[in-house]
Amino acid sequence: NGPLVATHTVTINPLTVGGVLSGTTTVCSASNNGTLTLSGEIGNIAGWQSSIDNGLTWNTIVPNNSTASQAYAGLTDTTMYRVIVTSGSCGIDISTVGTITVDPPSIGGTVTPNVSLCAGPHSGTITLNGQTGNILRWEYSIDGGSTWVYINNTTNSQTYSNPAMTTYYHAVVQNGVCAPVNSF
């Protein structure tokens, strides 16, 4: 047997790369769910972070998630996500930011005034107030609300002229990606 030779190991870690988050989208408040996915990272996932103040402060998501995907559900605020990646002694790198933009729910608002007229020629204007979202159209019904007829009007007021019978009006309002709703 020959003399003992001392050996030393030098480990080379690859440079850390944070990777790219996919899954950025816009959702409606509270009624949402989905998943963000990390790709292209080099190193180990140390954890996920989120921010609801446009990235001013970041909070570690608990329990710690060391996988390449992060689920979300029931968000009520626009939320940014990022991932912390480490590679041995090469330090940390942070992924790109994925943002789930949250739209407030659509609110139909109220049409005023309610008008009671005698038979004969009449005209006037009703107005929508207190809505959240864009007015998609107005609709009217002459059968007590069983069927509604489309009116191509996206403004907050609707005129009427010489109605022959009791007529109901409402506006259809939609905020962002949230479901449309009718005014009252």
Side-chain angles (χ1 to χ4, degrees), residues 1 4 8 17 35 48 70 80 90 92 112 125 129 144 161 170:
N1 292 357
L4 290 176
H8 296 284
V17 176
T35 303
W48 288 70
Q70 175 66 47
M80 299 169 73
C90 294
I92 67 167
T112 57
T125 302
N129 295 297
S161 182
H170 67 222

Side-chain angles (χ1 to χ4, degrees), residues 28-54:
C28 190
S29 180
S31 61
N32 58 70
N33 63 68
T35 303
L36 292 152
T37 304
L38 179 66
S39 63
E41 79 278 3
I42 296 175
N44 298 314
I45 296 171
W48 288 70
Q49 295 181 327
S50 66
S51 173
I52 58 172
D53 61 7
N54 202 29

Side-chain angles (χ1 to χ4, degrees), residues 58-151:
W58 291 91
N59 298 302
T60 299
I61 296 174
V62 177
N64 189 47
N65 178 5
S66 60
T67 70
S69 62
Q70 175 66 47
Y72 63 87
L75 298 179
T76 56
D77 296 302
T78 294
T79 306
M80 299 169 73
Y81 292 89
R82 69 184 188 182
V83 184
I84 308 300
V85 178
T86 64
S87 179
S89 60
C90 294
I92 67 167
D93 195 26
I94 298 172
S95 70
T96 62
V97 172
T99 303
I100 307 302
T101 302
V102 178
D103 288 338
S106 305
I107 298 174
T110 305
V111 176
T112 57
N114 284 323
V115 180
S116 180
L117 304 171
C118 294
H122 297 285
S123 64
T125 302
I126 54 177
T127 304
L128 178 65
N129 295 297
Q131 76 274 15
T132 298
N134 297 315
I135 299 167
L136 301 179
R137 66 184 175 276
W138 285 76
E139 296 176 339
Y140 74 91
S141 174
I142 57 173
D143 62 6
S146 293
T147 58
W148 293 90
V149 178
Y150 180 97
I151 303 170

